[in-house]
Every structure is written in structure tokens, then in C-alpha cells.
Amino acid sequence: MENNENNRQKRPKNRAVYSFRKNYPGSTGGSDYSIGESRKMQNRERRNKLVFAFVLLLVFCLSFVATSTAIKLSKRPVKKETEKDEVTVKAAATLGEMKALYFSSDIFSSEAELEKAIDKLKKEQADTAVIEFKTPDGDLCYESNLPAAKNAYATKNAYGFVREYVQQIKELNYRVIAKVTCFEDNKAATVISDAAITNEKLELFSDADTSRCWLNPYSQTAREYLIDILGEINGLDVDGFLLTQVTFPVSSNSDVAVYRDETAITDRNAVIKQFISQAIKTAGEKEVIIGVSFDAAFGSDLNGLGGNILDSEARYYAPDLRAASQVQDVLFDDTLFSGGSFAQFEFVKTYFDKLNEQQTENVFVPICDNAPYSLDALEDVNCRTYIID
């Protein structure tokens, strides 16, 4: 009797175990439901598991998307202004005070010419030599490796010891600034025909004032040619650049000039500023000074600039105050200075007073004649950074 009662206590109540059930003793899987329990419970549990899996997958996907977006946003450069309010950020001025003397490329022709130039620097108590590396005719004073320069015979008058002479000047604690005439280039324009300014007949445009041809600022080929030259000169270890003729021609016959590729960039001011930006990038840590006529230093549109050039990326600008460059009348403070004859003390002084009134962040490095009135006037207005030609 005791055995029967014990067997009844061990036997599960209302639970049958069959060998074909998954939870048959010894089976490795299956459910714990006994026969007779509702299948709805099984379906509900299965559905709950599917919902839970779906929610888990959805949360994972959303988290992945959010994380990826956050990473991309963190790597995106911060835009401080909108495009409408974009302001050109200029690099800090590093030249400091500079008394520079101008020299032609003949300085590289011999040791004797180099010694003469160094003696002049000492006598004038200057600290910088501005040397012509590329002329308005397109001649280069150094041996270029550019195929276009060689094809244009731009290296015909090149000297062989330019790098060595530059080093000799710098070893004496003088700076070397390379002067480069840009778009006025008679030789390259005649060879790189698709980069030149033409007339309506597709003949080369010739400047009535200089009888020289010009490279087309709209032409990417022309700009790349000049940028490649700046890159080569930069490799000669100069301390900076003075870029002149960074403009369109303004001669009396400039209205007949035809600029191919003009449809690509219709804004003259924009294409000039793009070139300046490329030049500054090519110069790296070297300073770039942009030569401008005296009226362009006030944002005048008389120089083929298409607008104000002073808001480009360049920090330094060199207004040309030489008597030979002043051909137009200028009215300052009710005083009329006649073109061709007003390179005098009062004009230079008044000119710089007007520049200082602009209160711009630019640094002006005037190009002056080596005359007492120029230097006295600059001293009077406390201008201690200039180039004497």
C-alpha cells in the first residue's frame, strides 16, 4: 500500500507523457506545455518573441544611424559665416619693417654684379633685395624645367647660378623678394595660343601702350603656367614674391580684347582673386605682395580688376608711386595733381594719409622713386616698409 501511495504522489497530476512529445523524459528540447493547454498561449509567446526581436533590431539600426551621423558631423568643418556674409581671413603680417631696393635680373649675371648689388644694399642701409625673376616680355632669369617656358624661349637669357647667388645674399642677412610680372607676357602668349588674349579675328591682342601680348586671366592654362613658375621660384628659396600685372590690360585699345573661356567665370574680380589665392597657396609660408597702381589702392576699378582687389586673401599691396607710373590727374582734398608731374612730397604724404583713413587690415608697401621727396614724405607719415626703384 505504501508503495502505491508513493507512486501516486510522484505521478504528475493531469499530465500525460508520451514518447512522441518533445518533453518526453530524456528529450533535449520542446515546451513545458502539457496536453490540453491552449495553443493560444504558445502562439502569443511566439508572437511576443518576434516583436521583441524586431524592436531590438530597430533600436540597433537607429543607434547605428545616429552614431554615424554624429561622427560625420563632427568631422565637417565649422562654417562661421554664411556664403552671403563670408569674410576673407587674411594671414598675419610677418614682414615687419622693410626697406627694399629693386634690382634687375642682371644681379645674377656675374660675381661682380652681385658684389655691386650687395654694396648698394649696404650703402642704402636696406634689408631686402627685390629682384626681377620674370619680365613683362616673359623672360625668366633662372633655368626653368617647364616645357611651355622652354617652347616660348623664356629661358633664353637665364642664368646658371641663381640659387647659389640667392643663398649668398641671404647669408648676409638680406631678404630676397622675387618680382614676377604675371599676365603681361609677350613670349608665352605667342606660343601658348589658347592661353592668350586675342581680338575678334582671333589674332593676338597687342597692348597699344607697351606693344606686348598678354595671357588671358580667364584661361586655366594661363593661370597654371604662372602658378608653375611661382612654384619653381619658390624652390629657389626666396623669401617672398612681388606680383605685378595681376590684372586685365587697360591700354587705350583694351576694348578690342577678346577673352576666350570668359563664359566659365564672368566676374573679372573673381578670377583675379582666384589667381591670387592660388599664388598664396603655392608660396606656402612665403609672403605675397600684390603690385597695384596708386588708384587701385583705393579700390578703384580703373585697372581691369573688375572691382576692389584689396579684399583678396593677400595681406600686402604695393601701390606704384613712381613718377613714370602716374599718368592720370588725381584730386585729393581739393588739390589737383596733374598726371605725369605730381611725384612730389605733398602727393605722397596726402596719398598715405588717405590710405590710413581707410583703416584696412592690409599692409601697404609703396614702390617709390629713389628721390629725397619720396623718402621724406614716407618718413613724415611713419611709413617704414617700402621698395625703392
Side-chain angles (χ1 to χ4, degrees), residues 50-270:
L50 290 174
V51 170
F52 176 78
F54 176 79
V55 171
L56 189 63
L57 180 62
L58 181 62
V59 170
F60 174 80
C61 291
L62 291 176
S63 300
F64 178 81
V65 172
T67 303
S68 300
T69 302
I71 293 173
K72 290 180 179 180
L73 288 175
S74 66
K75 292 182 178 180
R76 183 180 300 175
V78 179
K79 241 187 168 181
K80 294 183 178 180
E81 299 101 7
T82 62
E83 291 185 0
K84 291 183 179 179
D85 300 327
E86 187 175 352
V87 178
T88 301
V89 178
K90 297 176 183 284
T94 61
L95 281 179
E97 294 183 0
M98 179 180 75
K99 181 179 180 180
L101 299 183
Y102 171 79
F103 298 94
S104 71
S105 57
D106 290 341
I107 191 176
F108 299 124
S109 62
S110 66
E111 287 281 357
E113 288 295 322
L114 180 64
E115 289 298 327
K116 284 171 57 177
I118 293 174
D119 288 341
K120 186 176 181 180
L121 288 168
K122 293 177 180 178
K123 181 180 178 181
E124 298 290 339
Q125 295 182 333
D127 53 40
T128 303
V130 175
I131 306 173
E132 189 166 49
F133 273 66
K134 180 178 179 293
T135 70
D137 280 325
D139 290 311
L140 300 174
C141 71
Y142 68 96
E143 295 177 340
S144 173
N145 292 317
L146 298 176
K150 293 179 178 179
N151 292 339
Y153 297 100
T155 59
K156 182 179 180 180
N157 299 317
Y159 300 111
F161 300 97
V162 173
R163 181 190 296 275
E164 290 79 3
Y165 285 4
V166 167
Q167 287 299 321
Q168 288 187 42
I169 297 172
K170 294 183 64 174
E171 287 172 1
L172 296 173
N173 295 321
Y174 295 109
R175 283 177 294 203
V176 176
I177 303 292
K179 178 180 178 290
V180 176
T181 305
C182 292
F183 292 103
E184 185 178 7
D185 189 322
N186 197 54
K187 288 190 173 180
T190 58
V191 174
I192 316 174
S193 57
D194 60 332
I197 299 174
T198 66
N199 58 25
E200 291 183 352
K201 297 180 180 179
L202 298 183
E203 300 167 336
L204 285 177
F205 165 82
S206 180
D207 192 311
D209 298 338
T210 65
S211 300
R212 296 191 186 98
C213 299
W214 282 62
L215 292 172
N216 179 6
Y218 284 116
S219 167
Q220 182 176 350
T221 302
R223 296 195 302 271
E224 288 179 351
Y225 173 69
L226 295 174
I227 293 299
D228 287 343
I229 288 175
L230 295 181
E232 285 189 325
I233 296 174
N234 199 29
L236 298 174
D237 202 26
V238 297
D239 296 297
F241 296 88
L242 170 61
L243 307 185
T244 61
Q245 299 298 56
V246 188
T247 179
F248 290 76
V250 291
S251 63
S252 57
N253 68 329
S254 59
D255 57 332
V256 304
V258 174
Y259 303 97
R260 287 170 289 177
D261 299 325
E262 185 174 1
T263 54
I265 307 173
T266 57
D267 189 340
R268 285 191 176 191
N269 196 243

